Amino acid sequence: MTNIRDIAKKAGYSVATVSRYLNRNGYVSHVAGAKIKKVITELDYVPNSIARDLSTGQTSTIGVVVPHMRHPYFTQIVTGIMEAAFAEQFNITILQSNYDAQLEVKYLEQLHQKTYDGLIFTSHGITLEQMAKYQKYGPIVCCEDPGPVELPAAYTTREATYLQALELIKQKNFKRLGFMLSRPYSLSATSKLTLNCYQQVYGKFPDKSLVITGITTYQDAYQGTLKYLGLTTPPDFIFANGDDIAAGVRQCYLDHKQEPPPLMGQENQLASQLMNISTIDHHFKQVGKLAFKLFQNQEIKKIPVSSELIIR
């Protein structure tokens, strides 16, 4: 089996020079690089990636922690991370957590063990303070505003756009808003922000019967809408946490021979265009790309991305 010494001998350069060329670490002249590359091709040499990782202390792999991949928030962020990472020759490992704090700590311990060069948390079950303690073992990036916690973060700013959307809904005299949310108020920063914005605009929180949680897919939305259909006074407008969610709501109404109320979705998916409904684009793909850049630059910095209300 060809090894680095065979290459050095045939190319006429030292093992150290060949090593620098293979690891892209240190200066190698253009002439030497061309000769070494030619010999590598002739000998059909493939570097031992495990040995290289041990020698450099890097794996060229980032762990991306996601609770699940059932909502466009996660798929779009991961897409952005992957596109940015692959352009820089990094690999991505998806680490599903389902908001399990113990499992997330396990991933942080794997960072400690150098299984990954860094971690990006798209969402989390553990506290940000717990997460921050592991930064000494490698870069950790989160995808929400960490507030006073010293963590690098790329995230979308939602409050101004939610307020704008709800003010518009109120101006059109809709009073009984239904909300489709992924997690309860007490567990989700997004759910909390959504309902707090409603409280700011309407001066009160929505009726509990109009707030349905556990909604991440079209099918969830369809089943959740059955609760609305069973109400004596159903919602006159539904604020969905995704365009596909809004599509599930609409279809449930139609299947039960009822006129769907006006809808607003999120994430500017194809569904909102086909239904011609307004939506909010949080530009999560851009958030993912920025999260990778923060990992790569290893700087503690917060980068907000503005969301956008799209009226149709």
Side-chain angles (χ1 to χ4, degrees), residues 3-304:
N3 59 43
I4 192 171
R5 289 182 174 80
D6 297 326
I7 297 169
K9 182 177 180 180
K10 185 164 185 177
Y13 292 95
S14 68
V15 170
T17 299
V18 175
S19 177
R20 288 198 300 274
Y21 174 82
L22 290 172
N23 293 314
R24 302 293 190 267
N25 182 21
Y27 174 75
V28 177
S29 72
H30 178 74
V31 173
K35 184 62 182 293
I36 292 168
K37 181 179 180 181
K38 181 181 178 183
V39 171
I40 287 172
T41 302
E42 290 175 356
L43 297 180
D44 195 23
Y45 172 75
V46 178
N48 185 322
S49 60
I50 296 175
R52 182 189 62 213
D53 292 345
L54 289 171
S55 68
T56 63
Q58 295 183 323
T59 66
S60 296
T61 300
I62 307 168
V64 178
V65 182
V66 292
H68 54 76
M69 294 291 283
R70 299 189 300 273
H71 192 274
Y73 169 76
F74 300 111
T75 56
Q76 290 178 18
I77 284 185
V78 169
T79 297
I81 294 170
M82 290 176 65
E83 288 184 3
F86 290 171
E88 298 295 330
Q89 299 183 334
F90 275 85
N91 299 313
I92 296 297
T93 298
I94 301 298
L95 305 172
Q96 188 167 334
S97 71
N98 200 30
Y99 295 108
D100 184 328
Q102 289 185 332
L103 191 54
E104 291 173 3
V105 170
K106 176 184 173 182
Y107 297 145
L108 288 164
E109 286 296 333
Q110 289 175 345
L111 175 67
H112 185 187
Q113 297 159 9
K114 305 300 181 186
T115 305
Y116 314 106
D117 290 342
L119 293 175
I120 297 175
F121 279 80
T122 61
S123 191
H124 56 92
I126 62 171
T127 66
L128 293 173
E129 288 80 5
Q130 283 180 282
M131 201 184 295
K133 291 178 181 178
Y134 281 82
Q135 288 186 101
K136 58 187 175 183
Y137 305 122
I140 299 171
V141 180
C142 67
C143 294
E144 66 178 74
D145 184 350
V149 181
E150 289 292 311
L151 272 171
Y155 54 93
T156 188
T157 56
R158 305 171 188 248
E159 184 173 10
T161 310
Y162 280 172
L163 290 172
Q164 180 187 3
L166 290 165
E167 286 285 3
L168 180 64
I169 294 168
K170 184 181 179 183
Q171 288 170 16
K172 294 186 176 182
N173 207 33
F174 294 110
K175 299 178 180 178
R176 227 177 127 71
L177 273 63
F179 288 91
M180 292 278 184
L181 303 172
S182 61
R183 294 200 292 163
Y185 182 96
S186 61
L187 298 178
S188 167
T190 300
S191 297
K192 186 175 294 185
L193 178 62
T194 302
L195 298 181
N196 284 347
C197 285
Y198 175 89
Q199 193 273 338
Q200 286 187 57
V201 173
Y202 280 83
K204 61 181 180 178
F205 284 99
D207 189 304
K208 289 183 179 180
S209 66
L210 300 178
V211 179
I212 301 178
T213 60
I215 308 298
T216 58
T217 66
Y218 174 100
Q219 291 76 16
D220 294 338
Y222 192 101
Q223 291 301 313
T225 304
L226 295 175
K227 297 179 182 179
Y228 289 152
L229 294 176
L231 295 175
T232 303
T233 309
D236 58 6
F237 191 101
I238 296 176
F239 192 90
N241 62 335
D243 294 338
D244 287 347
I245 304 302
V249 172
R250 179 179 182 274
Q251 193 59 50
C252 186
Y253 271 91
L254 294 176
D255 287 350
H256 288 80
K257 311 302 181 185
Q258 295 197 36
E259 181 68 22
L263 301 160
M264 179 173 289
Q266 296 184 59
E267 311 330 330
N268 195 25
Q269 298 171 277
L270 178 61
S272 66
Q273 298 172 42
L274 294 175
M275 292 186 294
N276 195 36
I277 64 170
S278 297
T279 187
I280 296 173
D281 192 338
H282 292 104
H283 303 295
F284 289 131
K285 188 174 176 181
Q286 183 183 356
V287 170
K289 290 182 177 182
L290 291 170
F292 171 78
K293 291 299 181 184
L294 283 171
F295 152 79
Q296 191 176 36
N297 296 334
Q298 298 191 26
E299 56 182 337
I300 297 180
K301 183 178 179 181
K302 297 200 294 187
I303 307 179

